[in-house]
Amino acid sequence: MKIDFYKYQGAGNDFILVDDRAGVFPVSGTSIEAFCHRRFGIGADGLILLRKEKEYDFRMVYFNADGKEGSMCGNGGRCAVRFAHDLGLFEESVRFIAVDGVHEATVAAEIVHLKMGEVSGIAEKEDAFFLNTGSPHYVKFVPDVTEVDVVGEGRAVRYGTEYGPQGGVNVNFVQVIGENRLKVRTYERGVEDETYACGTGVTACALVAYQKMGWTGPVQVDVLGGKLEVRFVPEGTGFNAIWLTGPAAFVYRGDVEV
């Protein structure tokens, strides 16, 4: 059968969106990896199903570009919110559920504000940091992110002896470019490449900036695909009221045989 799909992007992080409120998308019989392939498919960093869920506006089901169901995706969440808004599911504010729990969001013009899950703490490594912002993240500060071999170094950490046996980790390289301003490049597991932006990664870097430098935010973050902003409230060793803000936009629509 043919299904309609919609392409969205948030700061260059791009996704295939499917309105699956009827629950007919054949996950087990569909090669999501083939759909996401940039040479032989539609091309995307991931695929998102928007499904019905009692007591919520929708459920977000996210698959990485490798075809496997993934952990939380921040920019994917913002694109899902924009998609739901375009479908007429809400006007200004929305409440939905994803793999890591409940999220809230608001839409204002081209900007989507997404409330992330609470973060319990940050582990400091020898030359880096580790935390979970809905997805696991390794954060390393460097003098100049343009000089970093993001794929080579990122893959070495992602598949290394510490994180490889645990399912891997996303790897972020961070440069301080001003007060409350960072530049970030990210190697994403599941995509197995550098992406133009990573929402949970940008969030992780902003929280580490608080621990490392005392920044209270909002933290502005430059990524390859544009600019994002992170606001948060420190609480003990963790954080709450974490909001990821940035653009999310419709690109095109089509249909595909499944």
Side-chain angles (χ1 to χ4, degrees), residues 162-185:
E162 182 173 5
Y163 299 106
Q166 302 175 35
V169 68
N170 301 285
V171 184
N172 305 273
F173 300 94
V174 189
Q175 176 185 350
V176 177
I177 56 176
E179 184 69 22
N180 283 304
R181 190 174 176 196
L182 303 171
K183 181 181 287 187
V184 175
R185 295 176 66 188

Side-chain angles (χ1 to χ4, degrees), residues 5 7 16 31-44 252 256:
F5 72 87
K7 187 78 174 287
I16 300 164
S31 178
I32 291 173
E33 183 179 12
F35 283 175
C36 293
H37 198 287
R38 294 196 180 278
R39 296 293 180 269
F40 301 106
I42 299 165
Y252 65 87
V256 63

Side-chain angles (χ1 to χ4, degrees), residues 6-27:
Y6 302 77
K7 187 78 174 287
Y8 280 75
Q9 61 86 17
N13 212 181
D14 61 339
F15 307 93
I16 300 164
L17 275 294
V18 176
D19 179 2
D20 193 38
R21 286 177 289 171
V24 298
F25 186 86
V27 173

Side-chain angles (χ1 to χ4, degrees), residues 183-236:
K183 181 181 287 187
V184 175
R185 295 176 66 188
T186 303
Y187 176 92
E188 284 201 54
R189 67 172 188 171
V191 181
E192 307 309 332
D193 202 350
E194 180 177 9
T195 53
Y196 272 50
C198 176
T200 54
V202 160
T203 301
C205 295
L207 300 184
V208 169
Y210 168 81
Q211 179 158 312
K212 183 178 172 66
M213 294 168 289
W215 291 359
T216 56
V219 178
Q220 310 295 325
V221 186
D222 293 5
V223 294
L224 292 180
K227 297 180 185 297
L228 296 167
E229 179 185 280
V230 181
R231 292 179 284 126
F232 54 87
V233 176
E235 183 174 320

Side-chain angles (χ1 to χ4, degrees), residues 1-4 255-258:
M1 67 176 181
K2 283 188 176 181
I3 63 155
D4 293 326
D255 58 64
V256 63
E257 193 80 31
V258 296

Side-chain angles (χ1 to χ4, degrees), residues 57-80:
D57 291 294
F58 65 88
R59 173 178 285 275
M60 167 187 166
V61 183
Y62 173 68
F63 297 87
N64 283 313
D66 63 5
K68 299 175 183 176
E69 190 167 352
S71 48
M72 181 56 185
C73 176
N75 287 326
R78 293 190 313 97
C79 286

